[in-house]
């Protein structure tokens, strides 16, 4: 039977269960507020949000892979080789499978973030700023449902409010064998004009035979 | 992340649920070799203890994957046998058949391996394995009481899996 191609983010978003956007935003806001009260240190809160995102990411990857009909990386590698504008098609192919919070498109010629962000958050995001090696890129979010109604007070200026997203990306990528570092470049809550995340590949972890002891 | 070698193994030995089920056994492994699930419906002969059995199965598939990738006549690269590969690289085998059983295999890019052993006249089970992957996502991944990397102990998953496997022709 003919293999089914990957589904678009819109199609999947239409089929999953959704929650009220305001409920989502307010719940996230309450979580951050509670963390600030409990931990008091802004750096600690950032780290905790990242860790929460990581734990989410390692689970969300499976949902993403299951719902979006990703079969084998090699298909995307071939696609990438044909249409890639980046110098490292392998990374592009691998990153193109990535999960949830930061989705990179299955159609690299569009160079747009589609499936993941669309599928889980319902937002459109784009991938730009590939560096020469192809190991580093930026993801730009046009809108961000997490930050509706939010303003950062002066006491919390160091806070990365959406740090959970960077954790999710990191967790998800790690489950597809890529160790990455994700940092915020631009953040509207801090006065910039958009949300920009930088995803940097540290290394790729090939599969190892796990049984170290003798038979 | 857990490596195989911990004392915990999947529930064993499981009582065969119903005779007359189409499939013989099912294994689910994660990327570290931990056997997350072992279901048995119809297995007349058992030669090894459970831990050795799981290790053998995982090792077999690991080697088979590596071997099939290296022997790929259409691939350009010529790495040495035994060089670790990224999941997703190289070609992927999906089943092998003997005169007494057929083993169907699916690996997700996140390293989750699904193995289903059925009678030899079974057709292509790739879509079925994909469906089971979806079941896994619904009942196990989304279960907040489940720790990733630990053996699966979700009754709901087991029940829906049994039901689905019974319906595979």
């Amino acid at each position: 039977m003919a293999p089914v191609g990957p589904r678009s983010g819109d199609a999947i978003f239409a089929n999953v269960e959704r929650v009220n956007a305001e409920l989502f935003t307010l719940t996230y806001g309450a979580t951050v507020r509670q963390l600030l009260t409990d931990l008091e240190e802004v750096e600690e809160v950032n780290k905790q949000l990242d860790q929460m995102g990581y734990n989410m990411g390692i689970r969300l990857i499976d949902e993403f892979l299951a719902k979006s009909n990703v079969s084998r990386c090699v298909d995307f590698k071939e696609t990438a080789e044909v249409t890639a504008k980046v110098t490292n098609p392998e990374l592009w192919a691998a990153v193109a499978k990535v999960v949830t919070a930061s989705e990179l498109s299955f159609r690299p010629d569009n160079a747009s973030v589609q499936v993941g962000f669309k599928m889980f958050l319902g937002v459109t995001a784009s991938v730009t700023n590939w560096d020469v090696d192809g190991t580093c890129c930026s993801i730009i979010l046009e809108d961000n449902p997490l930050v509706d109604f939010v303003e950062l007070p002066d006491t919390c200026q160091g806070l990365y409010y959406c740090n959970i997203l960077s954790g999710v990306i990191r967790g998800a990528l790690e489950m597809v064998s890529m160790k990455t570092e994700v940092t915020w470049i631009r953040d509207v809550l801090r006065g910039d004009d958009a949300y920009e995340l930088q995803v940097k590949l540290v290394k790729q972890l090939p599969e190892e035979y796990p049984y170290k002891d003798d038979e | 992340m857990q490596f195989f070698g911990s004392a915990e193994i999947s529930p064993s030995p499981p009582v065969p649920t119903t005779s007359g089920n189409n499939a013989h056994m099912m294994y689910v492994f994660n990327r570290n070799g931990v056997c997350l699930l072992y279901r048995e419906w119809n297995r007349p002969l058992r030669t090894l203890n459970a831990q050795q059995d799981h290790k053998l199965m995982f090792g077999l598939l690991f080697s088979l994957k590596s071997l099939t990738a290296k022997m790929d006549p259409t691939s350009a690269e010529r790495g040495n046998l035994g060089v670790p590969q990224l999941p997703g690289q190289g070609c992927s085998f999906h089943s092998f058949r003997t005169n007494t059983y057929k083993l169907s295999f699916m690996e997700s890019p996140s390293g989750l391996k699904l193995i289903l052993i059925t009678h030899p006249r079974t057709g292509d089970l790739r879509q079925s394995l994909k469906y089971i992957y979806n079941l896994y996502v619904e009942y196990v991944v989304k279960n907040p009481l489940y720790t990733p990397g630990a053996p699966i102990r979700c009754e709901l998953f087991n029940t829906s899996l049994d039901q689905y496997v019974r319906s595979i022709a």
Side-chain angles (χ1 to χ4, degrees):
Chain A
M1 106 179 47
V4 185
R7 298 166 67 191
S8 79
D10 286 308
I12 307 172
F13 191 62
N15 286 332
V16 298
E17 287 170 11
R18 275 165 287 176
V19 75
N20 180 303
E22 273 155 25
L23 174 64
F24 178 64
T25 308
L26 294 174
T27 308
Y28 184 70
T31 312
V32 177
R33 186 84 172 64
Q34 190 61 40
L35 282 173
L36 279 167
T37 316
D38 288 342
L39 300 172
E40 285 168 25
E41 273 277 335
V42 162
E43 259 321 297
E44 280 302 310
V45 175
N46 284 340
K47 260 195 269 198
Q48 187 69 1
L49 282 175
D50 188 73
Q51 187 57 32
M52 282 166 61
Y54 179 82
N55 292 334
M56 283 169 63
I58 61 180
R59 293 177 188 247
L60 282 172
I61 177 86
D62 276 317
E63 181 175 359
F64 175 74
L65 292 171
K67 296 227 166 89
S68 55
N69 278 333
V70 177
S71 49
R72 304 307 308 183
C73 177
V74 72
D75 299 327
F76 299 112
K77 185 173 180 182
E78 285 161 4
T79 314
E81 275 164 357
V82 168
T83 59
K85 297 175 184 136
V86 300
T87 56
N88 188 339
E90 211 168 277
L91 169 66
W92 178 252
V95 171
K97 296 184 314 180
V98 173
V99 178
T100 62
S102 64
E103 289 355 72
L104 302 173
S105 171
F106 291 128
R107 290 188 287 279
D109 52 342
N110 292 350
S112 63
V113 175
Q114 280 199 0
V115 186
F117 267 120
K118 203 71 186 144
M119 178 177 161
F120 288 100
L121 289 179
V123 303
T124 322
S126 52
V127 183
T128 51
N129 285 349
W130 283 98
D131 75 346
V132 181
D133 299 325
T135 56
C136 190
C137 68
S138 288
I139 296 168
I140 300 179
L141 294 172
E142 288 171 19
D143 59 35
N144 190 343
L146 293 174
V147 301
D148 290 338
F149 324 127
V150 173
E151 255 178 39
L152 282 187
D154 294 328
T155 52
C156 302
Q157 281 307 312
L159 180 70
Y160 286 114
Y161 188 80
C162 309
N163 217 28
I164 205 167
L165 291 178
S166 64
V168 176
I169 299 171
R170 191 171 61 89
L173 279 171
E174 191 163 312
M175 294 306 276
V176 285
S177 317
M178 287 186 286
K179 231 170 141 52
T180 52
E181 266 169 22
V182 185
T183 45
W184 287 98
I185 306 269
R186 286 189 285 165
D187 191 344
V188 170
L189 294 177
R190 292 184 170 205
D192 302 312
D193 52 349
Y195 293 98
E196 188 175 333
L197 274 167
Q198 185 187 60
V199 181
K200 188 171 151 62
L201 179 74
V202 172
K203 68 176 182 166
Q204 292 204 301
L205 313 160
E207 217 170 281
E208 281 179 357
Y209 191 64
Y211 307 140
K212 299 287 188 239
D213 47 339
D214 57 21
E215 68 100 44
Chain B
M1 297 212 279
Q2 227 178 345
F3 285 94
F4 196 92
S6 71
E8 234 187 352
I9 50 177
S10 55
S12 72
V15 177
T17 48
T18 58
S19 59
N21 201 323
N22 281 314
H24 294 286
M25 295 119 66
M26 169 141 207
Y27 296 80
V28 179
F29 290 101
N30 76 354
R31 56 192 312 179
N32 297 321
V34 178
C35 182
L36 302 179
L37 184 77
Y38 169 66
R39 294 294 283 171
E40 183 179 288
W41 296 287
N42 182 11
R43 186 177 186 176
L45 177 68
R46 214 179 298 170
T47 51
L48 303 166
N49 76 28
Q51 248 196 348
Q52 284 180 333
D53 188 50
H54 300 329
K55 252 189 179 175
L56 181 70
M57 182 59 69
F58 184 82
L60 165 76
L61 290 162
F62 192 87
S63 313
L64 257 178
K65 259 192 329 155
S66 179
L67 194 70
T68 50
K70 289 298 176 251
M71 283 183 57
D72 186 357
T74 61
S75 123
E77 60 168 60
R78 280 273 163 264
N80 292 321
L81 195 64
V83 170
Q85 286 195 315
L86 303 173
Q89 247 185 354
C91 65
S92 60
F93 87 97
H94 51 83
S95 64
F96 69 74
R97 196 198 308 254
T98 72
N99 57 336
T100 47
Y101 68 91
K102 177 175 183 180
L103 182 144
S104 307
F105 172 72
M106 182 188 110
E107 186 185 18
S108 79
S110 59
L112 190 86
K113 304 180 196 347
L114 297 171
I115 298 128
L116 190 56
I117 296 171
T118 52
H119 66 79
R121 283 175 308 286
T122 319
D124 187 7
L125 284 180
R126 273 180 283 185
Q127 286 304 322
S128 301
L129 285 173
K130 237 182 240 165
Y131 185 80
I132 295 174
Y133 186 42
N134 272 293
L135 283 182
Y136 166 80
V137 163
E138 287 302 311
Y139 290 113
V140 177
V141 170
K142 291 188 178 174
N143 185 343
L145 299 176
Y146 169 71
T147 327
I152 298 171
R153 297 190 202 282
C154 307
E155 266 320 300
L156 216 52
F157 177 64
N158 291 344
T159 324
S160 52
L161 182 66
D162 286 345
Q163 228 175 2
Y164 179 67
V165 169
R166 215 169 292 148
S167 72
I168 298 178

